[in-house]
Amino acid sequence: MIDFDEALRIILSHAPGPQEIQMVPLDAAIGQVLAQDIASDVDVPPFDKASMDGFAVRSADVAQPPATLDVVMDVPAGGVPTGRLEPGQAAAVMTGAPVPEGADAVVQVEWTSGFGTPTVEVNRAAPKGMHISPKADILKVGTPVLLAGTQVDVEELSLLAGAGCDPVPVFKQPSVAVLSTGDELVSPGETPGPGKIRNTNGPALIGFLRSLGLNPANLGQVSDTLDDLRAAVGKGLGYDCLLLSGGVSAGAYDFVQDILNEFGVEVHTTRVAVKPGKPTVFGTLNGKMVFGLPGNPVSAMVIARVLAGPALRKRMGYQDPASRVIRARLTSDIRKKPDRLWLVHGTIAFDRETAVTPVKNRGSADLPAAGRGNCLIVAPKDTSLVEKDAQVEVVVWRRCF
Ligand code: AMP
Ligand code: MG
């Protein structure tokens, strides 16, 4: 049995990185991972820009208000100044409009009177630079705005659009498949007969993969016979990554490892000192990855998040594929056996402090308890007590916030 950190290191070192680049339209880029650094092809703003509706002036002209100036031009957003501003002159400008040469300040309309007439009276002084966003103040042409390995979110879309990046170079997403093994399994839409249970791992893993931005194939459930399993795993190995659950422990019908060996999969981990999730198989074959996740529903989800997640993010091209870990104060003792690292579902609260409370659970089949949690508290190996008020590491994901 290997330590959790060692398992993660081994998995990340064998997980392949991104393999192909493809261009996708900007409006389909959400959730994709950038394959190249992106630079802006324009200055932002592209010209000295008014940031208020009002009048572009020469600061010196309005140093002793009130000052009456001739309004010589009218520049709407999208317009172009018709000439230079000379002493004694003002230009009506709208927010977003280019400021004419010669002007060095914008007076907001509220500080003026006479709007719409040939002259304007400016009632307050305007220091140089007031309400003008200088050309290239935000971005200079050629400056990288986004780095390769960034997953595109809403803000990135806006940046990409501003940088003129359409289509967008992204890493081609790996194809992934989910297979649930077990004679006892029926699909969620069925009523389980005697001795049967519903397949909960399949849908959970599919959803997990979707939450990463992947588009998984559901290979359904397969019985614990060598022939069926061989056929299903063979199909699963047609994908860049196969996530299967069940059949990886030491039971009489746990054939997954044998089948993986038959296919020539190089197995890097089999048992990891983590609870939940001791049996965790990770293998690679010709640049493809296979995870044999534990059958226990809570174990399968936890291991998917903390071991498969980082490997998949590496494969997707993330700059930093690691799980997100934050520190929080533990609100009650965690008593444990020292033989393994425990990942305990908890509820995290960001109030005046960040505090995390373990969810009471009755083991690896206690789905309701897992559902009450929104994070995983890391209780280290080689310790039998993590005390209340200790600062602990907590694995978080979006649901926490
Ligand atoms: P196994 O690792 O195949 O021995 O499975 C361990 C436990 O998890 C058993 O109680 C199985 O019935 C259960 N289990 C395995 N696969 C699933 C699944 N896809 N959905 C729900 N429970 C499962
Ligand atoms: Mg099984």
Side-chain angles (χ1 to χ4, degrees), residues 180-182 184-185 197-202 224 245-249 254 279 293-297:
S180 307
T181 78
E184 71 278 35
L185 303 178
I197 59 168
R198 289 196 173 106
N199 173 9
T200 61
N201 291 348
D224 292 314
S245 73
V248 291
S249 9
D254 290 338
L293 302 171
N296 277 309

Side-chain angles (χ1 to χ4, degrees), residues 326-332 347-357 388-392 400:
I326 64 173
R327 297 183 74 79
R329 182 179 68 81
L330 186 65
T331 63
S332 64
T347 49
I348 198 159
F350 306 93
D351 197 357
R352 264 178 308 185
E353 60 162 1
T354 306
V356 66
T357 303
K388 176 176 187 298
D389 293 331
Q391 287 289 316
V392 289
C400 305

Side-chain angles (χ1 to χ4, degrees), residues 38-217:
I38 307 297
S40 178
D41 67 346
V42 288
D43 288 330
V44 180
F47 39 75
D48 291 341
K49 189 178 84 171
S51 55
M52 281 280 180
D53 293 331
F55 292 88
V57 300
R58 301 170 76 100
S59 174
D61 283 350
V62 297
Q64 265 121 43
T68 302
L69 305 171
D70 295 331
V71 180
V72 295
M73 64 185 105
D74 198 341
V75 197
V80 179
T82 49
R84 218 187 127 75
L85 206 67
E86 301 299 342
Q89 296 182 338
V93 289
M94 297 295 134
T95 303
V99 168
E101 258 184 74
D104 57 10
V106 168
V107 186
Q108 65 196 75
V109 70
E110 293 85 347
W111 293 5
T112 66
S113 40
F115 181 79
T117 67
T119 61
V120 61
E121 185 171 294
V122 176
N123 303 317
R124 295 205 208 175
K128 272 192 184 178
M130 193 164 80
H131 302 320
I132 295 180
S133 310
K135 174 179 159 81
D137 190 38
I138 303 293
L139 271 183
K140 265 197 167 41
V141 61
T143 314
V145 290
L146 290 166
L147 298 179
T150 304
Q151 192 179 33
V152 175
D153 204 335
V154 175
E155 287 70 17
E156 283 75 22
L157 286 174
S158 170
L159 269 166
L160 290 165
C165 183
D166 185 11
V168 184
V170 297
F171 289 120
K172 187 160 183 243
Q173 310 257 317
S175 60
V176 285
V178 171
L179 175 65
S180 307
T181 78
D183 282 336
E184 71 278 35
L185 303 178
V186 300
S187 62
E190 289 175 66
T191 303
K196 306 287 183 192
I197 59 168
R198 289 196 173 106
N199 173 9
T200 61
N201 291 348
L205 294 172
I206 293 275
F208 169 65
L209 293 166
R210 285 199 201 287
S211 78
L212 292 182
L214 296 169
N215 184 23

Side-chain angles (χ1 to χ4, degrees), residues 302 305 324 326 328 343-350 355-359 370 372-378 393-397 399-400:
V302 167
R305 285 203 190 276
R324 288 284 156 265
I326 64 173
L343 295 167
V344 182
H345 278 95
T347 49
I348 198 159
F350 306 93
V356 66
T357 303
V359 173
R372 284 194 297 276
N374 62 1
C375 63
L376 293 167
I377 304 167
V378 181
E393 294 194 329
V394 184
V395 180
V396 293
W397 53 93
R399 178 168 175 177
C400 305

